[in-house]
mmCIF file of all heavy atoms in Angstrom:
data_model
loop_
_atom_site.group_PDB
_atom_site.id
_atom_site.type_symbol
_atom_site.label_atom_id
_atom_site.label_comp_id
_atom_site.label_asym_id
_atom_site.label_seq_id
_atom_site.Cartn_x
_atom_site.Cartn_y
_atom_site.Cartn_z
ATOM 1 N N ALA A 165 76.865 105.910 96.193
ATOM 2 C CA ALA A 165 77.715 106.731 95.325
ATOM 3 C C ALA A 165 78.666 105.879 94.499
ATOM 4 O O ALA A 165 78.810 106.100 93.302
ATOM 5 C CB ALA A 165 78.495 107.738 96.156
ATOM 6 N N VAL A 166 79.297 104.862 95.116
ATOM 7 C CA VAL A 166 80.300 104.095 94.382
ATOM 8 C C VAL A 166 79.686 103.236 93.279
ATOM 9 O O VAL A 166 80.361 102.848 92.342
ATOM 10 C CB VAL A 166 81.160 103.198 95.313
ATOM 11 C CG1 VAL A 166 82.043 104.058 96.189
ATOM 12 C CG2 VAL A 166 80.307 102.278 96.138
ATOM 13 N N ARG A 167 78.377 102.933 93.397
ATOM 14 C CA ARG A 167 77.706 102.192 92.319
ATOM 15 C C ARG A 167 76.840 103.099 91.458
ATOM 16 O O ARG A 167 76.002 102.628 90.699
ATOM 17 C CB ARG A 167 76.836 101.078 92.902
ATOM 18 C CG ARG A 167 77.668 99.991 93.509
ATOM 19 C CD ARG A 167 76.830 98.895 94.144
ATOM 20 N NE ARG A 167 77.577 98.288 95.218
ATOM 21 C CZ ARG A 167 78.628 97.485 95.016
ATOM 22 N NH1 ARG A 167 78.995 97.182 93.808
ATOM 23 N NH2 ARG A 167 79.287 96.991 96.040
ATOM 24 N N ARG A 168 76.978 104.397 91.659
ATOM 25 C CA ARG A 168 76.251 105.399 90.898
ATOM 26 C C ARG A 168 74.739 105.207 90.978
ATOM 27 O O ARG A 168 74.014 105.499 90.040
ATOM 28 C CB ARG A 168 76.694 105.393 89.422
ATOM 29 C CG ARG A 168 78.211 105.345 89.250
ATOM 30 C CD ARG A 168 78.611 105.381 87.796
ATOM 31 N NE ARG A 168 78.285 106.670 87.231
ATOM 32 C CZ ARG A 168 79.057 107.741 87.310
ATOM 33 N NH1 ARG A 168 80.205 107.667 87.913
ATOM 34 N NH2 ARG A 168 78.691 108.877 86.782
ATOM 35 N N ARG A 169 74.257 104.721 92.128
ATOM 36 C CA ARG A 169 72.816 104.542 92.296
ATOM 37 C C ARG A 169 72.202 105.766 92.968
ATOM 38 O O ARG A 169 72.769 106.323 93.892
ATOM 39 C CB ARG A 169 72.531 103.284 93.117
ATOM 40 C CG ARG A 169 72.157 102.111 92.214
ATOM 41 C CD ARG A 169 72.254 100.777 92.878
ATOM 42 N NE ARG A 169 71.654 100.667 94.194
ATOM 43 C CZ ARG A 169 71.870 99.631 95.009
ATOM 44 N NH1 ARG A 169 72.658 98.649 94.621
ATOM 45 N NH2 ARG A 169 71.299 99.575 96.179
ATOM 46 N N GLY A 170 71.023 106.184 92.484
ATOM 47 C CA GLY A 170 70.301 107.304 93.091
ATOM 48 C C GLY A 170 70.776 108.664 92.625
ATOM 49 O O GLY A 170 70.304 109.687 93.115
ATOM 50 N N LEU A 171 71.702 108.701 91.661
ATOM 51 C CA LEU A 171 72.257 109.991 91.242
ATOM 52 C C LEU A 171 71.236 110.844 90.500
ATOM 53 O O LEU A 171 71.152 112.055 90.716
ATOM 54 C CB LEU A 171 73.487 109.784 90.356
ATOM 55 C CG LEU A 171 74.663 109.049 90.977
ATOM 56 C CD1 LEU A 171 75.857 109.092 90.041
ATOM 57 C CD2 LEU A 171 75.036 109.658 92.313
ATOM 58 N N ASP A 172 70.430 110.193 89.620
ATOM 59 C CA ASP A 172 69.451 110.966 88.856
ATOM 60 C C ASP A 172 68.430 111.613 89.777
ATOM 61 O O ASP A 172 68.086 112.782 89.632
ATOM 62 C CB ASP A 172 68.743 110.068 87.827
ATOM 63 C CG ASP A 172 69.696 109.677 86.704
ATOM 64 O OD1 ASP A 172 70.659 110.444 86.482
ATOM 65 O OD2 ASP A 172 69.482 108.621 86.084
ATOM 66 N N GLU A 173 67.955 110.817 90.749
ATOM 67 C CA GLU A 173 66.973 111.381 91.658
ATOM 68 C C GLU A 173 67.585 112.517 92.471
ATOM 69 O O GLU A 173 66.946 113.544 92.700
ATOM 70 C CB GLU A 173 66.411 110.291 92.587
ATOM 71 C CG GLU A 173 65.023 110.646 93.095
ATOM 72 C CD GLU A 173 64.638 109.889 94.354
ATOM 73 O OE1 GLU A 173 65.138 108.775 94.554
ATOM 74 O OE2 GLU A 173 63.838 110.448 95.127
ATOM 75 N N LEU A 174 68.836 112.323 92.873
ATOM 76 C CA LEU A 174 69.513 113.372 93.638
ATOM 77 C C LEU A 174 69.582 114.665 92.827
ATOM 78 O O LEU A 174 69.300 115.757 93.329
ATOM 79 C CB LEU A 174 70.919 112.907 94.021
ATOM 80 C CG LEU A 174 71.751 113.881 94.851
ATOM 81 C CD1 LEU A 174 71.136 114.085 96.225
ATOM 82 C CD2 LEU A 174 73.183 113.402 94.996
ATOM 83 N N LYS A 175 69.925 114.541 91.543
ATOM 84 C CA LYS A 175 70.001 115.734 90.687
ATOM 85 C C LYS A 175 68.628 116.382 90.527
ATOM 86 O O LYS A 175 68.514 117.614 90.542
ATOM 87 C CB LYS A 175 70.561 115.357 89.313
ATOM 88 C CG LYS A 175 72.045 115.065 89.313
ATOM 89 C CD LYS A 175 72.515 114.775 87.895
ATOM 90 C CE LYS A 175 73.895 114.177 87.881
ATOM 91 N NZ LYS A 175 74.294 113.760 86.523
ATOM 92 N N ASN A 176 67.582 115.541 90.379
ATOM 93 C CA ASN A 176 66.224 116.087 90.247
ATOM 94 C C ASN A 176 65.830 116.887 91.483
ATOM 95 O O ASN A 176 65.310 118.003 91.372
ATOM 96 C CB ASN A 176 65.209 114.958 90.037
ATOM 97 C CG ASN A 176 65.255 114.428 88.613
ATOM 98 O OD1 ASN A 176 65.569 115.171 87.687
ATOM 99 N ND2 ASN A 176 64.978 113.135 88.444
ATOM 100 N N ARG A 177 66.070 116.285 92.651
ATOM 101 C CA ARG A 177 65.669 116.970 93.882
ATOM 102 C C ARG A 177 66.507 118.232 94.093
ATOM 103 O O ARG A 177 66.015 119.237 94.608
ATOM 104 C CB ARG A 177 65.829 116.039 95.100
ATOM 105 C CG ARG A 177 65.049 114.751 94.999
ATOM 106 C CD ARG A 177 63.552 114.942 94.864
ATOM 107 N NE ARG A 177 62.883 115.517 96.016
ATOM 108 C CZ ARG A 177 62.326 114.831 97.010
ATOM 109 N NH1 ARG A 177 62.379 113.513 97.023
ATOM 110 N NH2 ARG A 177 61.710 115.444 97.996
ATOM 111 N N LEU A 178 67.768 118.165 93.675
ATOM 112 C CA LEU A 178 68.637 119.330 93.807
ATOM 113 C C LEU A 178 68.133 120.462 92.906
ATOM 114 O O LEU A 178 68.093 121.631 93.310
ATOM 115 C CB LEU A 178 70.079 118.940 93.447
ATOM 116 C CG LEU A 178 71.176 119.941 93.804
ATOM 117 C CD1 LEU A 178 71.184 120.201 95.302
ATOM 118 C CD2 LEU A 178 72.536 119.418 93.367
ATOM 119 N N ALA A 179 67.696 120.099 91.680
ATOM 120 C CA ALA A 179 67.174 121.106 90.749
ATOM 121 C C ALA A 179 65.961 121.812 91.339
ATOM 122 O O ALA A 179 65.759 123.011 91.114
ATOM 123 C CB ALA A 179 66.821 120.444 89.425
ATOM 124 N N GLU A 180 65.157 121.066 92.127
ATOM 125 C CA GLU A 180 63.970 121.675 92.738
ATOM 126 C C GLU A 180 64.346 122.725 93.777
ATOM 127 O O GLU A 180 63.671 123.739 93.901
ATOM 128 C CB GLU A 180 63.104 120.603 93.424
ATOM 129 C CG GLU A 180 62.380 119.690 92.455
ATOM 130 C CD GLU A 180 61.812 118.464 93.177
ATOM 131 O OE1 GLU A 180 61.646 118.523 94.416
ATOM 132 O OE2 GLU A 180 61.580 117.452 92.492
ATOM 133 N N VAL A 181 65.412 122.461 94.535
ATOM 134 C CA VAL A 181 65.708 123.380 95.640
ATOM 135 C C VAL A 181 66.660 124.515 95.253
ATOM 136 O O VAL A 181 66.656 125.561 95.887
ATOM 137 C CB VAL A 181 66.266 122.644 96.892
ATOM 138 C CG1 VAL A 181 65.286 121.602 97.374
ATOM 139 C CG2 VAL A 181 67.629 122.055 96.622
ATOM 140 N N VAL A 182 67.488 124.298 94.217
ATOM 141 C CA VAL A 182 68.449 125.353 93.848
ATOM 142 C C VAL A 182 67.718 126.460 93.108
ATOM 143 O O VAL A 182 67.170 126.254 92.037
ATOM 144 C CB VAL A 182 69.588 124.789 92.963
ATOM 145 C CG1 VAL A 182 70.451 125.919 92.432
ATOM 146 C CG2 VAL A 182 70.436 123.829 93.755
ATOM 147 N N LYS A 183 67.647 127.627 93.733
ATOM 148 C CA LYS A 183 66.890 128.728 93.137
ATOM 149 C C LYS A 183 67.790 129.617 92.292
ATOM 150 O O LYS A 183 67.478 130.002 91.190
ATOM 151 C CB LYS A 183 66.238 129.567 94.238
ATOM 152 C CG LYS A 183 65.212 128.789 95.050
ATOM 153 C CD LYS A 183 63.966 128.507 94.206
ATOM 154 C CE LYS A 183 62.866 127.905 95.061
ATOM 155 N NZ LYS A 183 63.203 126.546 95.534
ATOM 156 N N GLY A 184 68.920 129.985 92.808
ATOM 157 C CA GLY A 184 69.789 130.893 92.072
ATOM 158 C C GLY A 184 71.016 131.169 92.892
ATOM 159 O O GLY A 184 71.388 130.377 93.748
ATOM 160 N N VAL A 185 71.634 132.298 92.629
ATOM 161 C CA VAL A 185 72.898 132.600 93.279
ATOM 162 C C VAL A 185 72.684 133.617 94.397
ATOM 163 O O VAL A 185 72.021 134.636 94.207
ATOM 164 C CB VAL A 185 73.904 133.130 92.240
ATOM 165 C CG1 VAL A 185 75.203 133.509 92.888
ATOM 166 C CG2 VAL A 185 74.122 132.085 91.158
ATOM 167 N N HIS A 186 73.233 133.321 95.568
ATOM 168 C CA HIS A 186 73.234 134.264 96.695
ATOM 169 C C HIS A 186 71.864 134.773 97.076
ATOM 170 O O HIS A 186 71.674 135.950 97.352
ATOM 171 C CB HIS A 186 74.153 135.457 96.396
ATOM 172 C CG HIS A 186 75.579 135.048 96.290
ATOM 173 N ND1 HIS A 186 76.075 133.929 96.910
ATOM 174 C CD2 HIS A 186 76.609 135.604 95.623
ATOM 175 C CE1 HIS A 186 77.357 133.826 96.628
ATOM 176 N NE2 HIS A 186 77.701 134.813 95.840
ATOM 177 N N LYS A 187 70.860 133.916 97.062
ATOM 178 C CA LYS A 187 69.530 134.358 97.464
ATOM 179 C C LYS A 187 69.405 134.316 98.990
ATOM 180 O O LYS A 187 68.664 135.068 99.579
ATOM 181 C CB LYS A 187 68.455 133.470 96.820
ATOM 182 C CG LYS A 187 68.359 133.637 95.295
ATOM 183 C CD LYS A 187 67.692 134.947 94.946
ATOM 184 C CE LYS A 187 67.315 135.065 93.490
ATOM 185 N NZ LYS A 187 68.410 134.951 92.541
ATOM 186 N N ILE A 188 70.131 133.401 99.625
ATOM 187 C CA ILE A 188 69.949 133.197 101.057
ATOM 188 C C ILE A 188 71.298 133.208 101.763
ATOM 189 O O ILE A 188 72.273 132.634 101.271
ATOM 190 C CB ILE A 188 69.259 131.825 101.299
ATOM 191 C CG1 ILE A 188 67.947 131.753 100.511
ATOM 192 C CG2 ILE A 188 68.996 131.606 102.785
ATOM 193 C CD1 ILE A 188 67.533 130.365 100.157
#
Side-chain angles (χ1 to χ4, degrees):
Chain A
V166 292
R167 291 178 208 288
R168 314 182 68 84
R169 261 163 47 193
L171 299 188
D172 290 335
E173 205 200 332
L174 181 66
K175 287 183 193 174
N176 283 330
R177 303 300 294 268
L178 192 59
E180 288 167 20
V181 302
V182 172
K183 296 289 188 292
V185 178
H186 295 335
K187 292 286 191 301
I188 305 154

